[in-house]
Amino acid sequence: MAEPSARVKSIFIYPVKSCKGISLSEALVTPTGFRWDRQWLVVNENGRMLTQRVQPKLALVEVELPKEAFSESWEPTSDSYMVLKAPGMDTLKVSLIKPRDVVEHVSMWYWNGSALDEGPNAAEWFSKFLGNPYRLVRFDQASQIRETDPSFANGYKTLFNDQFPYLVLSQDSLNALNKILKEPIPVNRFRPNILVEGCGPFSEDLWKEFKINKLTFNGVRLCSRCKVPRTDQETGIVGTEPTETLQRFRSDKVLLPHKKPQGQVYVGQHSVCKDCFTGDKGKIVKVGDPVYIVKQLSSTAEAAA
C-alpha cells in the first residue's frame, strides 16, 4: 500500500452549535457526521438560529458529555446528562433522554423545521447568560432531515452544521498562517472536525477522495470563513485577524481567478463520508489514523467553492 499523505492529529465535535468543542481520541461516524456533533442549537424567540456571528459570548460556554457517550453501543439513561458551564453561571444539566416538547418553525440558513425543546431551565440559563430570550433545542432526527446542498454533495444529510457533516483542516495550514500573523492563533478559531498533519500547507484544498481507517471521504467544497475565526474563543472578543491576513493569500480573488470574487476567504475543506450509510459497525476515526489520498485536484483553482 502507498505511504499515507497525512495522519489524523486531532478530532473535535461541537455538541451545541457555536459553543466550545470537545477534543476526542476517536469518534463514531454516523449518517449525519460524528456522533453528538451539532445536535443542539440555541434559537431566539422566533426560532432563528443563534451563533457566534451575532453573539460571540457563546464561545465561552463549555460543553461536557459522559465519557461512555462515545462508545458505539451506548444509549442514554435517565441519569445521563450534557453539562454546560459559563463564566458567572451555575452549571446547567441537560438530560440526554429525548425531550417530548416540540418547537415549531426553527430555522437556520435555508432550512426550516421543528426541533425538540430542552425546556425552561435551559432557556432561562441561556437567556440570563446572553441577555436576551433564547431557547436550547435539539435536532429531531426522527422527524426532520437537513439535506446538504446537492450541487456539492447530493444525497447526504447533516444536523445543525452550517453546510456539511465534516470540516477537514491541516495543522500545516494553520502553521503557515501563524508564521505570518503578528499573534499566532489556536486551531479552535477554525472549528474543524478532523485536524490532520504532515501533508503540507493547504494541501487539503485538493483532496477529492481520501481514506481514513478504510472509510472513504470526499472533499466537496472549500470552506469560506465568516467572522467566527476573528473571535478569541477564550475571551469572546472579536478582532480583525486572521481574516485581514487571509485576504492577502486565501481570498477567492487569489485562489479562484476564473470566478467572480465575492470577498470570501477560505480555510479548510467541507467533506462527506461516502460509507456513512452502511449498517456496518466499527465506523470510527481515531487520532493517529493514516490518511490516504485517492483522488486530488491539480490546483486550488479547480476546487468547488
Side-chain angles (χ1 to χ4, degrees):
M1 183 178 283
E3 286 293 305
S5 298
R7 290 193 178 272
V8 176
K9 183 178 191 292
S10 303
I11 297 167
F12 302 98
I13 61 167
Y14 309 87
V16 182
K17 186 177 181 67
S18 261
C19 296
K20 285 188 183 299
I22 299 174
S23 178
L24 302 174
S25 59
E26 60 181 55
L28 177 67
V29 170
T30 80
T32 58
F34 285 142
R35 189 179 190 187
W36 304 114
D37 190 39
R38 273 88 169 195
Q39 202 162 117
W40 286 268
L41 175 70
V42 180
V43 297
N44 66 15
E45 288 181 297
N46 299 317
R48 185 68 181 166
M49 72 166 179
L50 181 72
T51 72
Q52 288 185 37
R53 298 170 181 88
V54 172
Q55 187 49 271
K57 279 184 74 175
L58 282 170
L60 308 182
V61 177
E62 295 181 34
V63 183
E64 297 175 6
L65 288 171
K67 288 183 180 179
E68 59 270 22
F70 302 107
S71 300
E72 185 168 5
S73 58
W74 183 82
E75 293 297 332
T77 68
S78 57
D79 295 323
S80 307
Y81 295 92
M82 175 172 67
V83 177
L84 303 182
K85 300 176 181 178
M89 298 292 294
D90 293 335
T91 297
L92 173 67
K93 294 173 72 175
V94 178
S95 175
L96 292 178
I97 295 292
K98 181 180 174 180
R100 283 176 282 191
D101 292 337
V102 172
V103 178
E104 301 289 350
H105 309 300
V106 170
S107 61
M108 62 173 297
W109 304 124
Y110 301 107
W111 178 85
N112 289 273
S114 62
L116 302 171
D117 186 9
E118 292 294 1
N121 289 343
E124 183 181 351
W125 193 89
F126 275 100
S127 299
K128 181 180 178 182
F129 181 59
L130 299 174
N132 282 302
Y134 295 109
R135 302 197 74 81
L136 180 67
V137 301
R138 188 190 309 199
F139 198 95
D140 186 1
Q141 298 186 63
S143 70
Q144 303 295 305
I145 294 176
R146 266 194 81 221
E147 295 179 333
T148 58
D149 187 335
S151 303
F152 299 94
N154 191 24
Y156 293 90
K157 57 185 181 178
T158 188
L159 302 183
F160 289 129
N161 308 59
D162 268 357
Q163 298 184 65
F164 301 94
Y166 301 96
L167 177 62
V168 178
L169 175 67
S170 77
Q171 181 68 47
D172 307 71
S173 301
L174 181 61
N175 292 347
L177 173 61
N178 279 335
K179 283 182 180 177
I180 53 179
L181 286 175
K182 291 179 181 177
E183 295 184 17
I185 59 174
V187 70
N188 62 13
R189 293 285 193 100
F190 293 107
R191 302 175 72 80
N193 294 110
I194 302 173
L195 181 68
V196 300
E197 63 180 348
C199 55
F202 305 105
S203 59
E204 65 270 27
D205 291 356
L206 308 179
W207 296 358
K208 290 304 293 178
E209 185 176 315
F210 56 100
K211 285 185 176 288
I212 304 175
N213 193 19
K214 299 181 181 178
L215 296 168
T216 300
F217 290 80
N218 291 116
V220 294
R221 190 179 191 182
L222 297 181
C223 181
S224 61
R225 308 313 306 218
C226 61
K227 64 187 289 187
V228 172
R230 291 164 39 200
T231 303
D232 187 319
Q233 299 294 299
E234 305 307 317
T235 65
I237 296 172
V238 182
T240 60
E241 292 288 15
T243 304
E244 208 168 75
T245 295
L246 288 168
Q247 284 285 0
R248 301 205 302 265
F249 75 111
R250 294 293 300 175
S251 70
D252 47 9
K253 187 176 182 180
V254 174
L255 298 178
L256 307 167
H258 305 303
K259 296 184 179 181
K260 184 179 179 181
Q262 304 289 325
Q264 301 286 347
V265 295
Y266 299 94
V267 178
Q269 167 119 251
H270 292 296
S271 302
V272 295
C273 180
K274 199 173 179 179
D275 302 317
C276 67
F277 298 109
T278 62
D280 306 337
K281 290 192 174 183
K283 293 197 289 287
I284 293 171
V285 174
K286 299 179 180 179
V287 169
D289 276 347
V291 181
Y292 297 94
I293 309 306
V294 180
K295 297 177 184 175
Q296 66 177 349
L297 303 173
S298 58
S299 73
T300 304
E302 300 173 29

